[in-house]
Amino acid sequence: MSLETQKPSQENPMSAEPVAETSRVSPFRRVLNAVGVQNSSLIIALVVLVLIIGSQNSNFFLTNNLLLIGSAVTIMGLLALVQTLVIILGALDISVGSMAGLASVASAMVFQATGGNAGIGMLAALGIGLVCGLVNGMIIIFGRVNPVVATLGTLAAYKGLAQLISNGKSQGYTGADDFFIFLAKGSIAGLPTLVWVFLIVAALLHFLLKYTDIGRNIYAIGGNDTAARLAGININRYIIGVYALVGVVAAIAGILITARTGSGQPVSGSEGLELQAVTGAALGGCMLKGGKGSIVGTVLAVFILGVLDNGMSLLGINPFWQNIARGVLLVVAVVLQQLRSGERRVGLPT
């Protein structure tokens, strides 16, 4: 009896300590924990960058310029979002830009062939994007090819196919179609339609990763594919599914290229999007080895890149420096990730 009466008295102080500690957590600390350290640093970097550029050129803060930044990052941002999923899975997709270019050509050519039916043109583009994504996934699974090598091959193949069916020229004219005009120049509640497309896709992918079993399984596969397989997760199905999703979103980006340019573009508008997408995802906190990353971080990184490009243009800096800046940012982001992970550096003693 004496032991039974003493046991609760020994446990109560222990159970009270965490409650006291929790109650002493400041509101600022709670917000920081909710946002995440990585995202907090991105927010700070974005604010500092905005203040620096704004102090050098007051036109930066004009409403039209801020909306222009949002519209300009949409296409690259969409590809960075799905690149985030692929990287978290522990893979990579180098062919996203080529898929966007192929979808752009398809949307315009089918639009023209059907007498100006925008809906059919867009469905054709989405279908081609889906097929391209499935092909990437199946090459990786059934061909047992490294994702980088597989998508590097399809990068060239999809780009060549877009040039072949278009004869290397822009195709169709969508500049007079109401829906394409709405996509390119319309607005909802003061925000450009392009920005709404980006935010909606980002919200859906954030929900998928954070609040569904599918998202948790994607993180599990990227973190430790062996453990995920032993836990009963069908890794092949997830790889094919994620790459198919990448193809669909790349097709959406291609449709937006068509809307913005008024015609299908086999290369122009999609060239170099692969590097930008990987840079956005890596800068947003994705570990290239997989298992870590977030949509919120990628969104912040995309706007950092957009502000940087816009600021360099406003300040009259040679546009060729933009590619240099993106390359440097990618290297810096990866280096910081490696230093945080504490992994052994290549070629150096531990």
Side-chain angles (χ1 to χ4, degrees):
M1 290 294 292
S2 61
L3 290 175
E4 292 177 357
T5 55
Q6 289 175 5
K7 189 174 181 180
S9 64
Q10 292 173 349
E11 290 180 349
N12 287 338
M14 295 294 290
S15 61
E17 286 180 7
V19 175
E21 289 178 2
T22 303
S23 63
R24 287 197 298 268
V25 175
S26 66
F28 174 78
R29 186 64 183 176
R30 291 177 184 175
V31 172
L32 185 63
N33 290 336
V35 174
V37 176
Q38 171 70 22
N39 293 340
S40 300
S41 62
L42 289 172
I43 293 173
I44 294 171
L46 180 59
V47 171
V48 170
L49 188 60
V50 166
L51 292 176
I52 292 174
I53 296 173
S55 66
Q56 299 299 312
N57 192 319
S58 58
N59 291 332
F60 176 82
F61 291 110
L62 294 177
T63 302
N64 287 340
N65 185 62
L66 296 176
L67 294 177
L68 176 63
I69 294 173
S71 299
V73 301
T74 296
I75 294 171
M76 178 269 287
L78 287 172
L79 299 181
L81 291 175
V82 286
Q83 194 71 258
T84 299
L85 260 69
V86 180
I87 293 176
I88 291 173
L89 189 68
L92 204 64
D93 192 335
I94 309 296
S95 67
V96 287
S98 293
M99 286 192 286
L102 180 57
S104 175
V105 170
S107 65
M109 292 182 70
V110 174
F111 169 82
Q112 188 176 39
T114 55
N117 193 315
I120 296 179
M122 293 179 186
L123 285 175
L126 292 173
I128 286 177
L130 176 62
V131 170
C132 289
L134 288 172
V135 168
N136 284 347
M138 288 188 289
I139 290 174
I140 293 167
I141 294 301
F142 299 110
R144 299 184 180 182
V145 181
N146 180 280
V148 175
V149 176
T151 55
L152 188 60
T154 55
L155 159 71
Y158 298 151
K159 181 179 179 179
L161 182 58
Q163 292 173 318
L164 181 65
I165 63 176
S166 65
N167 200 26
K169 301 175 182 177
S170 59
Q171 293 293 318
Y173 177 69
T174 63
D177 181 79
D178 291 338
F179 193 76
F180 276 110
I181 292 173
F182 174 69
L183 282 178
K185 302 178 181 178
S187 63
I188 302 173
L191 277 180
T193 310
L194 291 167
V195 177
W196 279 111
V197 173
F198 172 66
L199 293 178
I200 289 171
V201 173
L204 291 174
L205 294 181
H206 175 71
F207 179 83
L208 176 73
L209 279 176
K210 194 171 179 65
Y211 300 105
T212 68
D213 289 337
I214 294 175
R216 285 184 282 272
N217 290 341
I218 289 174
Y219 277 106
I221 294 170
N224 189 325
D225 59 345
T226 302
R229 185 178 289 107
L230 293 175
I233 298 174
N234 190 325
I235 296 178
N236 290 355
R237 184 180 300 169
Y238 273 89
I239 291 175
I240 291 176
V242 167
Y243 274 95
L245 181 58
V246 171
V248 171
V249 176
I252 295 174
I255 292 169
L256 297 183
I257 291 173
T258 302
R260 293 191 68 183
T261 60
S263 59
Q265 300 293 329
V267 176
S268 178
S270 60
E271 191 79 40
L273 286 176
E274 301 84 6
L275 173 62
Q276 296 179 44
V278 174
T279 302
L283 186 62
C286 287
M287 292 288 290
L288 294 183
K289 66 178 182 179
K292 184 179 180 182
S294 72
I295 294 298
V296 174
T298 299
V299 170
L300 291 171
V302 164
F303 282 111
I304 288 175
L305 293 173
V307 168
L308 182 63
D309 287 351
N310 180 264
M312 293 176 74
S313 298
L314 287 177
L315 299 177
I317 299 174
N318 190 320
F320 294 126
W321 280 99
Q322 294 179 9
N323 285 331
I324 297 175
R326 291 192 196 104
V328 171
L329 280 174
L330 177 58
V331 173
V332 170
V334 174
V335 168
L336 290 176
Q337 289 173 10
Q338 290 298 109
L339 292 176
R340 273 197 220 101
S341 67
E343 289 186 359
R344 180 181 180 276
R345 286 169 286 182
V346 177
L348 294 176
T350 55

